[in-house]
């Protein structure tokens, strides 16, 4: 019992010291200075100092350092002393309401923003009257004046961006710490590297520590480097970034889930009352079509924000008459199967059994072997040929709309009044437009296909007169009486994904397709 009482007494004695430890630091005075009895120029003078001296201070009060002077509290004006930063104390805290921070450009310090009170940073070293904070190849200069040493922990900066993206601010914007307390401002026309998203906030590294930004304070240039294999995960992240950057003219909506429960997303750009629809990757191996659709989102959104012209189209004017909805990946499980193999999915073993091989380059179906472009109800029961059981392609399923992916598309279309639908596929540089339209509709749709042919260089295929179809575009034509076009990118490459070497030409051929469709639909 006595030991417990002694321990408690000891803790009571040391706890105040522990609590104050981070607020104690050394200051060095000028050659002449005054110690006053209060934080006021009118208070009594306790000492007229005639040589520089070092004191331990317990904090700042109204511009005065507080010190212990011969057993009583004394005050030294901050203009008469400066903080001493010991080499081993590499962290510092801002104690003024705000102080500037700079970078060196052509031998001159250029202000990049301000740090606010309570901001805590880690310095690399000091130089003259500045802390130097090195972040990569950049060195930031922060005045010693207005800062104090601190033992407060710095947030770990080891987190790396899985999908690096650069953002830009056009005006001065706030920077927050992890607790969403503002710690700084960033001057106009700077760039930051986005690390991650947290709801409407972006995670960045600011002067060597993790920080937060308001996403809609920023814009992007090129979020996607499209000449690569684009995964579902990166695609989804990019859509979320665009949606949080531009909530005023975009909308991100989950329209359903795949067989494996993977969310399927649609994104709208523009505020037009009329709408058109484009999708990609209905067939798994044709995943370069996702790149086409996502690059449209990337490109059109920044031109909308900038009120600029792209490909001869005033993007904002065009999309505020007719908005574009994009479904970048209709078959996420199938795409993942082709890109990452069967071990990446719960039903991978089933797909391997269906395929008869672990090489899925030829795979078009969803994860359970249903060809989604044979699963729509446009004379589905009259489809002839194809496989009679689950296969890598051309199995129409046990019934029309048996698959959650085709159901999601059907339900989404029925909620809207789309003027046009483009279903992107590969390969062959051809397009299909016909599904027994009436004469006026047939004339309209063929004219649209011919204009798209001029735009892309792709060949318009003659009517097929199939007895039945399960294609999404054919169902769309039948359901809405509006144009539905299947557009096959790339020269024919056979039963494999389109090689990345084809990308540059594909984008040149298709970069204006969405804007043309929006403009054309505005006239109907």
């Amino acid at each position: 019992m006595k030991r417990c009482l002694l321990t408690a007494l000891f803790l009571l004695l040391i706890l105040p010291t522990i609590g104050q430890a981070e607020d104690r630091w050394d200051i060095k005075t000028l050659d002449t200075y005054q110690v006053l009895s209060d934080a006021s120029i009118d208070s009594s003078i306790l000492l007229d100092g005639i040589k520089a001296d070092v004191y331990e201070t317990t904090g700042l009060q109204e511009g005065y350092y507080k010190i212990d002077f011969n057993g009583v509290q004394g005050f030294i004006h901050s203009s008469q002393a400066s903080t001493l930063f010991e080499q081993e104390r590499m962290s510092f805290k801002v104690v003024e309401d705000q102080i500037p921070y700079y970078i060196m450009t052509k031998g001159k310090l250029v202000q990049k923003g301000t740090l606010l009170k309570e901001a805590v940073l880690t310095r690399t070293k000091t130089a003259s009257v500045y802390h130097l904070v090195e972040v990569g190849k950049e060195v930031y200069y922060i005045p010693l004046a207005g800062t104090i040493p601190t033992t407060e922990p710095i947030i770990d900066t080891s987190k790396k961006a899985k999908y690096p993206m650069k953002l830009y601010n056009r005006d001065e914007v706030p920077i927050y710490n992890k607790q969403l307390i503002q710690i700084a401002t960033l001057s106009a026309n700077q760039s930051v590297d986005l690390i991650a998203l947290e709801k409407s906030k972006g995670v960045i590294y600011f002067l060597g520590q993790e920080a937060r930004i308001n996403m809609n304070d920023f814009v992007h240039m090129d979020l996607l480097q499209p000449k690569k294999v684009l995964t579902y995960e990166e695609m989804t992240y990019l859509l979320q970034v665009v949606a949080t950057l531009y909530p005023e003219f975009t909308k991100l909506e989950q329209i359903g889930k795949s067989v494996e429960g993977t969310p399927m997303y649609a994104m709208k750009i523009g505020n037009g009352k009329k709408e058109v629809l484009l999708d990609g990757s209905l067939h798994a191996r044709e995943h370069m079509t996702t790149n086409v659709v996502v690059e449209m989102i990337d490109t059109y959104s920044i031109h909308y924000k900038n009120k600029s012209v792209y490909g001869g189209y005033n993007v904002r004017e065009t999309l505020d008459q007719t908005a574009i909805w994009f479904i970048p990946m209709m078959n996420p499980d199938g795409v993942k199967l082709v890109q990452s193999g069967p071990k990446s999915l719960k039903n991978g073993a089933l797909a391997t059994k269906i395929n008869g091989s672990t090489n899925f380059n030829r795979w078009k179906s969803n994860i359970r072997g249903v060809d989604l472009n044979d699963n729509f109800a446009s004379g589905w029961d009259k489809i002839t040929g194809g496989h009679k059981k689950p296969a890598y392609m051309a199995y129409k399923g046990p019934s029309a709309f048996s698959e959650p992916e085709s159901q999601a598309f059907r339900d989404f279309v029925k909620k809207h009044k789309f003027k046009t639908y483009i279903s992107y596929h590969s390969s062959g540089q051809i397009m299909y437009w016909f599904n027994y339209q009436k004469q006026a509709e047939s004339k309209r749709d063929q004219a649209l296909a011919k204009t798209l042919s001029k735009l892309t260089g792709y060949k318009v295929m003659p009517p097929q007169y199939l007895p039945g179809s399960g294609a999404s575009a054919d169902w769309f034509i039948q359901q809405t009486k509006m144009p539905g076009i299947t557009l096959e990118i790339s020269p024919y490459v056979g039963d494999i994904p389109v090689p990345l070497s084809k990308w540059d030409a594909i984008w040149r051929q298709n970069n204006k397709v969405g804007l043309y469709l929006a403009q054309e639909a505005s006239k109907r």
Side-chain angles (χ1 to χ4, degrees), residues 402-442:
S402 61
E403 304 310 293
E405 297 92 345
S406 55
Q407 293 168 18
F409 181 89
R410 174 197 64 195
D411 297 344
F412 180 67
V413 168
K414 286 185 175 182
K415 292 177 183 177
H416 295 263
K417 294 181 179 179
F418 293 117
K419 291 289 187 179
T420 308
Y421 165 52
I422 296 290
S423 181
Y424 267 111
H425 288 256
S426 66
S427 57
Q429 297 188 151
I430 55 178
M431 67 182 77
Y432 301 91
W433 62 273
F434 178 79
N435 189 28
Y436 299 98
Q437 295 96 320
K438 292 181 179 179
Q439 186 174 3
E441 294 168 359
S442 178

Side-chain angles (χ1 to χ4, degrees), residues 345-371:
L345 293 128
K346 291 179 289 188
N347 292 289
L350 172 63
T352 301
K353 183 178 179 181
I354 293 169
N355 193 44
S357 168
T358 56
N359 184 334
F360 286 89
N361 278 342
R362 67 176 185 169
W363 189 272
K364 297 174 74 173
S365 301
N366 71 356
I367 190 64
R368 59 187 178 199
V370 176
D371 190 324

Side-chain angles (χ1 to χ4, degrees), residues 166-447:
K166 194 172 288 292
L167 304 179
Y168 304 84
N169 63 307
R170 291 168 176 170
D171 302 303
E172 183 176 272
V173 298
I175 304 292
Y176 304 91
N177 65 12
K178 196 172 183 180
Q179 291 72 40
L180 301 184
I181 298 169
Q182 187 178 349
I183 58 170
T185 63
L186 187 67
S187 296
N189 302 314
Q190 308 298 316
S191 67
V192 297
D193 294 313
L194 183 67
I195 306 302
L197 283 178
E198 287 183 357
K199 297 183 179 179
S200 64
K201 295 289 189 288
V203 180
I204 64 167
Y205 289 136
F206 175 73
L207 299 184
Q209 66 173 302
E210 195 176 297
R212 303 293 184 272
I213 57 172
N214 294 319
M215 286 292 287
N216 58 6
D217 286 339
F218 288 78
V219 299
H220 78 281
M221 294 296 181
D222 290 299
L223 293 178
L224 177 67
Q225 304 305 312
K227 198 172 183 177
K228 64 179 175 183
V229 174
L230 181 60
T231 65
Y232 170 84
E233 290 76 17
E234 183 173 2
M235 175 207 76
T236 302
Y237 180 64
L238 187 144
L239 297 181
Q240 292 168 342
V241 169
V242 171
T244 52
L245 283 172
Y246 312 122
E248 69 275 18
F249 66 86
T250 68
K251 182 178 181 181
L252 182 61
E253 180 178 322
Q254 182 179 328
I255 65 169
K257 292 183 178 181
S258 68
V259 170
E260 295 226 341
T262 305
M264 297 170 61
Y265 291 105
M267 168 160 270
K268 183 180 77 165
I269 298 181
N271 292 314
K273 292 183 179 180
K274 295 180 179 179
E275 297 176 335
V276 296
L277 174 63
L278 293 84
D279 71 18
S281 292
L282 192 63
H283 282 149
R285 75 183 185 212
E286 300 168 12
H287 52 78
M288 187 173 279
T289 58
T290 293
N291 298 49
V292 173
V293 172
V294 174
E295 183 68 353
M296 286 184 187
I297 292 171
D298 188 1
T299 303
Y300 297 173
S301 60
I302 188 56
H303 284 282
Y304 184 105
K305 180 68 176 180
N306 289 341
K307 300 181 182 179
S308 55
V309 173
Y310 180 76
Y313 296 88
N314 184 309
V315 176
R316 181 173 292 197
E317 286 185 6
T318 301
L319 300 187
D320 278 350
Q321 293 183 64
T322 305
I324 305 176
W325 278 95
F326 302 91
I327 307 175
M329 194 175 287
M330 278 289 301
N331 185 4
D333 299 343
V335 170
K336 191 169 188 178
L337 182 66
V338 173
Q339 292 179 348
S340 303
K343 291 183 179 180
S344 64
L345 293 128
K346 291 179 289 188
N347 292 289
L350 172 63
T352 301
K353 183 178 179 181
I354 293 169
N355 193 44
S357 168
T358 56
N359 184 334
F360 286 89
N361 278 342
R362 67 176 185 169
W363 189 272
K364 297 174 74 173
S365 301
N366 71 356
I367 190 64
R368 59 187 178 199
V370 176
D371 190 324
L372 295 175
N373 211 37
D374 281 327
N375 194 238
F376 289 81
S378 180
W380 176 91
D381 56 326
K382 297 181 179 65
I383 296 174
T384 58
H387 294 277
K388 304 304 180 185
K389 61 181 181 178
Y392 74 96
M393 64 171 287
Y395 171 58
K396 67 181 184 178
S399 62
F401 294 116
S402 61
E403 304 310 293
E405 297 92 345
S406 55
Q407 293 168 18
F409 181 89
R410 174 197 64 195
D411 297 344
F412 180 67
V413 168
K414 286 185 175 182
K415 292 177 183 177
H416 295 263
K417 294 181 179 179
F418 293 117
K419 291 289 187 179
T420 308
Y421 165 52
I422 296 290
S423 181
Y424 267 111
H425 288 256
S426 66
S427 57
Q429 297 188 151
I430 55 178
M431 67 182 77
Y432 301 91
W433 62 273
F434 178 79
N435 189 28
Y436 299 98
Q437 295 96 320
K438 292 181 179 179
Q439 186 174 3
E441 294 168 359
S442 178
K443 184 178 179 180
R444 175 201 64 195
D445 297 358
Q446 188 175 27

